[in-house]
Amino acid sequence: MLCVAGLILPSLWPAAGYAEDKDVLDYRMHIMHTLNEQSAALGLILSGAIPETNGAAHMEAIALTASTALKAFEPKVRGGEAKAEVWTNWPDFSKRMNEFARLTREAAKVAKEQGFGAAGPIIVDALTCKSCHEVYRQEKKK
Amino acid sequence: MLCVAGLILPSLWPAAGYAEDKDVLDYRMHIMHTLNEQSAALGLILSGAIPETNGAAHMEAIALTASTALKAFEPKVRGGEAKAEVWTNWPDFSKRMNEFARLTREAAKVAKEQGFGAAGPIIVDALTCKSCHEVYRQEKKK
């Protein structure tokens, strides 16, 4: 049985399209949160706090999720933690996001084929989150 | 540059092992949160709110993460949202977690090879989150 609220179809669908916008926002936040959770798990491994058994799988999950992220920003729905610059600078934003997907895919490949230990430096280079967040994210206070 | 706090090595390491226990807790929560975020993204697609373009990738990310989850519970560190039953009923818990990994792997394969549309029913059957959470999770109030 699926365990997420997302599966329950709304019985009332507001005419003004709010529900659709909310779905778009929720969807992209689920993707960005996944990147955050998996990067944090990987960070614990890279820092030596957790054994590296799952390292390559985390890197693969990040690469997969990175490949889904740009699509989630295509609808021009402002809000969440995205700055307006995501859409006003779309050529730069989409170029960076595609580069992020490419670099993480490459790091996942190295981790899978040559072992997680060998992939350390390429993993660190691939996770360019901060440089994009500085320009395109307005972090909400928890 | 890595963007997660997990990468910053603690400068003080408490003798009582608290930091290690906290790392174990954090690690498994990052994994379970990933499952939650990806299931929610998938739920939005299955409900028709979001186009299915990324569907197979989400299913693959869930399968990968499911394959990492059991390892994260092996250290017997209580806390977070895990009930004590995780460790007192370990044979049942680990059997269920392995079954979850197997079913999600199978669903990801169908989604990849036969298309996301064909995988709908097997995806719903694979996401058995609730039946386990009822026994092994004590959800914290947000």
Side-chain angles (χ1 to χ4, degrees), chain B residues 35-79:
Chain B
L35 289 173
N36 196 44
E37 298 289 349
Q38 286 295 297
S39 300
L42 205 52
L44 284 165
I45 292 176
L46 287 169
S47 73
I50 297 289
E52 66 179 52
T53 326
N54 289 333
H58 292 311
M59 194 58 238
E60 178 69 23
I62 290 173
L64 268 167
T65 308
S67 79
T68 67
L70 188 59
K71 196 84 201 157
F73 285 90
E74 281 180 5
K76 291 183 187 84
V77 178
R78 294 191 183 185

Side-chain angles (χ1 to χ4, degrees), chain A residues 14-101:
Chain A
Y18 167 77
E20 285 158 326
D21 282 2
K22 189 182 176 308
D23 289 336
V24 168
L25 279 177
D26 285 349
Y27 182 66
R28 78 179 182 229
M29 277 164 46
H30 291 314
I31 288 177
M32 300 313 282
H33 288 168
T34 299
L35 289 172
N36 196 43
E37 298 289 350
Q38 286 295 297
S39 299
L42 206 51
L44 285 164
I45 291 175
L46 288 168
S47 73
I50 297 289
E52 67 179 51
T53 326
N54 289 333
H58 292 311
M59 194 58 237
E60 177 68 22
I62 290 173
L64 268 168
T65 309
S67 79
T68 67
L70 189 59
K71 197 81 201 161
F73 285 91
E74 282 179 6
K76 292 183 185 84
V77 178
R78 295 191 182 184
E81 300 194 347
K83 287 188 185 172
E85 283 79 355
V86 165
W87 296 281
T88 56
N89 297 345
W90 185 257
D92 177 68
F93 178 79
S94 56
K95 188 180 157 196
R96 288 182 187 226
M97 196 62 107
N98 284 326
E99 182 67 0
F100 175 57

Side-chain angles (χ1 to χ4, degrees), chain B residues 1 19 21 39 44 54 66 73 86 96 103 110 115 121 124 132 134-135:
Chain B
M1 187 193 311
D21 281 2
S39 300
L44 284 165
N54 289 333
F73 285 90
V86 165
R96 288 181 187 227
L103 290 171
V110 173
V124 174
C132 259
E134 283 173 350
V135 188

